[in-house]
Amino acid sequence: MYKNKRIGVIVPALNEERFIATVITGVPNYIDRIYVIDDCSTDATYEIASGFAKGNPERIRVIKHEQNYGVGKSVVAGYKSCLSNNIDIAVVMAGDNQMNPKQLPRLLDPLVEGKADYTAGDRLSDKEHIKGMSPWRQLGNRILTWLTRIAAWNFNISDPQHGYNAITNEMLTRLDLDHIYPRYGYLNDMLVKLTVAGARIIYVPMPCVYGNEKSKIRYWHYIPSVSWLLLKDCLWCLKVQLLHRDSIRKSNISGKTK
């Protein structure tokens, strides 16, 4: 436990045989559960993770998808496991070893202290933190940040592509997990839905962590597909706001007639 809160770490993994052992062993001892979600890997990711699970079945669980659903679907599978196990805070740490476990308390503390419902890493607010990120990747992240802000009508959003995040059990129960975008882009979609749900979001500045891993994101395809997703999210937000406004108006009229 961490400050009397049960913490679960979700590790979405696709062909991460080089890193998955390091990720699992690097998870701090105060973490109660580790959920490795293998998204139909074709390498030894599942076998390696399962070896750790056999050695500590109470703490480590491995879920294998029989087909490739996407990282969003994998994270949602982890969220559902956290909810079923009464985990207080769910954390996402990717299987490619890009997320420093030493930074984890900085994500957890605002949630434990009741200051936020969702926390996420932020690489873009400090120039020192984006060293190692290619100019093309920086541009892609900047574009998607602004598109996500517009879609959510929330200009406080920062670095929506950062996959290192944590969320409370209470906020998870307020999201329609079955309709979170299943692939890359789920983070942008979640931020829109979190904003509509009234989530208190805090961004935690932290540096990039890049090693020998290769990004699976292809920005030439990713940006157009996520842009289309965010356009639909923007229209959905507008619809929700109009319905909410209409509901308030009808409530006010009803109250005046009584």
Side-chain angles (χ1 to χ4, degrees), residues 121-158:
D122 174 16
R123 303 159 296 180
L124 304 181
S125 61
D126 190 325
K127 291 182 179 180
E128 292 297 314
H129 288 169
I130 59 176
K131 288 183 177 179
M133 183 187 294
S134 70
W136 173 237
R137 196 166 185 171
Q138 288 184 43
L139 176 62
N141 281 328
R142 299 286 185 187
I143 291 172
L144 288 169
T145 295
W146 276 101
L147 290 175
T148 306
R149 287 172 175 175
I150 294 168
W153 299 35
N154 179 358
F155 289 86
N156 293 316
I157 288 175
S158 179

Side-chain angles (χ1 to χ4, degrees), residues 17 28 32 39 43 51 77 94 109 139 151 169 176 185 191 204 226 235 247:
E17 63 179 6
D32 298 273
D39 197 26
D43 64 4
D109 285 339
L139 176 62
N169 178 293
D176 183 357
L191 284 167
V204 180
V226 175
L235 296 174
S247 176

